[in-house]
């Protein structure tokens, strides 16, 4: 496998955070890696440790659970067998092989399920897809093992069909195993080149090629996956090179070279003079939206997972993470809490050369509705995150939104005004609570604060509707320069409208200005700041 993937390190460790494997499995994997090296410092010691690990694994096969941990152990044992032939007793060697055969037989009825938990989806593909394919590839002279490739091909083809949409996107519930799945399918693809009819059908091959592109889109500039989970480790240069060589094209190679540093892309070679693939994508079935201004490693990027009511978001600026985790909120009307009721629905997705824009909606108790906007401006490099509470019972609305701050960030509020800097070694972003008064001397309606590792903004208002937007300037050249913002007066039929009918804001950062408008009631012909419009939403640069 190392030769197929053109690497000196074992591909079995790709994509998986080794610290989350159990101690026996980690020990087994380490022994295999030592065995794989051409020059061993102490062959006797290595073989003895390996034999102990194999014996321990063999004793536990009778009561094994179909888990990721166990699947990694089985794959490690399978790859170990050809290397230890003649180094351990023949009876034990055949016992190990027989145990692997039994694992394949007992797991054979396990089918891929798009609604399964992430670790089940990964374990299923490892045990019923990669494991039998590995045995067929490594030991083709044993006819029953070689025939396992037929069933493995079917299970892997079905896995790519069930777990991906038509363009390679995983469902949000499976993002925690994005890179381990990429590693599994890449190893299978490498072995499949040496097997009759390959490792899957043509449709699955197309899905794998799209999947490699989506894995790049869902990567941060530091090589780690966005919305990272404990299961996943970052790309390694050999993992990246093999995935792109087997499933990518020149536009993916160009994207990777632009996104990652030279150390990561050293094995990719110089990309041809070709445009990188598209940066943004969205799938309502998956509940995933990916926003990225460019493929440049310093560029901002946003990933939103709305596949469950607990919406997850990650915002990065270059290699610096700003927010990652659950974007939560709490709402009361006249002291009575409103609860989320159901799941998120996509209202609008729009992507062009100027912006990536996602609007979501979720029902709340009492007939109310929460709408959430995420807009990433490409050239202007700002992010607008907004909650809109609609159709509540008429009364005193109190709303709090919370974003989990990255551990490396400090929240530094201004003393006299309500904006704040997000600071790592240097300031990386500035945040503006647009619906709040700019000056702290005005104590009305709410605050922007940081508490318990979260950035939070709170607001109070009278009426049936409320706007709670947060403007984030991501241009590091602007963040320490002069800024200001205002709530705009909105008129309809020569009458000023209250804030639960429509809202407008003006934001200025350095020399650049933007106007933002949102109707909270029925659309109508209204005017603000010299503009006459009847749309529901408008964002314009001035």
């Amino acid at each position: 496998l190392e030769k197929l993937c053109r690497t000196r390190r074992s591909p079995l460790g790709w994509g998986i955070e080794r610290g989350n494997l159990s101690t026996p499995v980690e020990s087994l994997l380490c022994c295999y890696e030592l065995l794989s090296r051409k020059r061993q410092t102490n062959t006797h010691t290595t073989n003895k440790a390996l034999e102990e690990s194999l014996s321990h694994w063999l004793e536990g096969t009778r009561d094994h659970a179909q888990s990721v941990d166990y699947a990694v152990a089985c794959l490690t044992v399978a790859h170990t067998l050809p290397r230890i032939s003649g180094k351990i007793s023949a009876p034990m060697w055949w016992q190990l092989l027989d145990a692997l055969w039994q694992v394949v037989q007992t797991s054979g009825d396990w089918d891929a399920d798009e609604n399964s938990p992430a670790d089940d989806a990964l374990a299923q593909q490892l045990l019923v897809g990669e494991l039998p394919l590995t045995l067929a590839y490594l030991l083709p002279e044993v006819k029953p093992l070689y025939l396992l490739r037929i069933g493995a091909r079917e299970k892997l083809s079905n896995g790519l069909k069930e777990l991906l949409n038509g363009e390679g996107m995983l469902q949000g519930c499976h993002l925690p195993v994005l890179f381990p799945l990429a590693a599994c399918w890449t190893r299978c693809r490498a072995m499949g080149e040496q097997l009759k009819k390959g490792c899957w059908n043509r449709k699955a091959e197309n899905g794998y090629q799209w999947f490699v592109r989506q894995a790049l889109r869902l990567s941060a500039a530091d090589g780690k996956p966005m919305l990272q989970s404990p299961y996943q480790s970052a790309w390694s240069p050999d993992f990246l090179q093999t995935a792109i060589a087997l499933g990518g094209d020149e536009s993916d190679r160009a994207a990777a070279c632009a996104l990652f540093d030279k150390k990561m892309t050293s094995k990719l070679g110089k990309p041809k003079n070709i445009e990188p693939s598209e940066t943004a994508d969205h799938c309502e079935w998956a509940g995933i939206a990916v926003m990225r201004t460019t493929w440049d490693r310093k560029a901002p990027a946003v990933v939103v997972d709305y596949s469950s009511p607990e919406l997850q978001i990650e915002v990065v600026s270059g290699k610096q993470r700003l927010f990652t985790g659950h974007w939560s909120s709490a709402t009361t009307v006249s002291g009575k809490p409103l609860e989320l009721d159901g799941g998120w629905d996509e209202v609008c997705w729009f992507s062009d050369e100027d912006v990536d824009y996602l609007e979501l909606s979720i029902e709340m108790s009492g007939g109310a509705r929460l709408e959430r906007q995420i807009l990433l401006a490409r050239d202007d490099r700002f992010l607008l995150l907004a909650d809109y509470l609609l159709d509540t019972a008429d009364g005193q609305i109190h709303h709090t939104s919370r974003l989990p701050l990255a551990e490396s960030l400090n929240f530094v509020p201004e003393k006299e005004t309500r904006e704040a800097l997000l600071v790592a070694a240097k300031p990386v972003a500035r945040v503006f609570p647009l619906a709040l008064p700019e000056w702290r001397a005005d104590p009305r309606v709410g605050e922007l604060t940081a508490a318990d590792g979260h950035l939070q903004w709170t607001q109070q208002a009278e009426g049936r509707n409320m706007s709670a937007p947060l403007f984030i300037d991501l241009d590091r050249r602007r963040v320490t320069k002069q800024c200001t913002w205002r709530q705009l007066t909105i008129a309809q039929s020569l009458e000023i409208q209250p804030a639960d009918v429509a809202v407008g804001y003006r934001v200025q950062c350095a020399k650049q200005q933007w106007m933002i408008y949102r109707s909270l009631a029925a659309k109508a012909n209204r005017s603000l700041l010299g503009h006459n419009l009847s749309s529901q939403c408008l964002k314009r640069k001035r």
Side-chain angles (χ1 to χ4, degrees), residues 12-72:
L12 294 178
W14 285 351
I16 291 182
E17 187 59 50
R18 299 277 287 269
N20 286 284
L21 296 174
S22 66
T23 301
V25 176
E26 170 65 12
S27 175
L28 185 62
L29 195 53
C30 287
C31 288
Y32 168 72
E33 289 172 342
L34 286 172
L35 191 68
S36 301
R37 296 175 187 173
K38 291 183 178 180
R39 297 179 180 178
Q40 299 176 35
T41 55
N42 194 326
T43 304
H44 177 73
T45 303
T46 301
N47 290 345
K48 185 177 179 181
L50 180 61
E51 190 167 348
E52 290 176 355
S53 295
L54 291 171
S55 297
H56 185 275
W57 174 82
L58 195 57
E59 291 172 2
T61 54
R62 296 175 183 176
D63 303 315
H64 75 274
Q66 291 177 322
S67 64
V68 173
D69 195 71
Y70 186 75
V72 173

Side-chain angles (χ1 to χ4, degrees), residues 20 56 103 191 203 388 394 486:
N20 286 284
H56 185 275
V103 171
M191 289 185 291
K203 189 173 182 179
Y388 298 103
D394 198 2
R486 292 290 183 273

Side-chain angles (χ1 to χ4, degrees), residues 508-529:
Q508 179 177 350
C509 298
K511 295 182 179 180
Q512 293 183 294
Q513 297 187 58
W514 302 271
M515 183 183 75
I516 300 166
Y517 168 80
R518 168 69 190 232
S519 173
L520 301 179
K523 291 188 291 184
N525 193 342
R526 303 187 182 103
S527 60
L528 75 161
L529 207 65

Side-chain angles (χ1 to χ4, degrees), residues 79 104 106 174 200 207 210 215 442 476 539:
H79 283 280
V104 171
T106 55
H174 293 146
W200 45 54
W210 275 107
D442 186 345
R476 300 190 185 193
K539 296 167 181 67

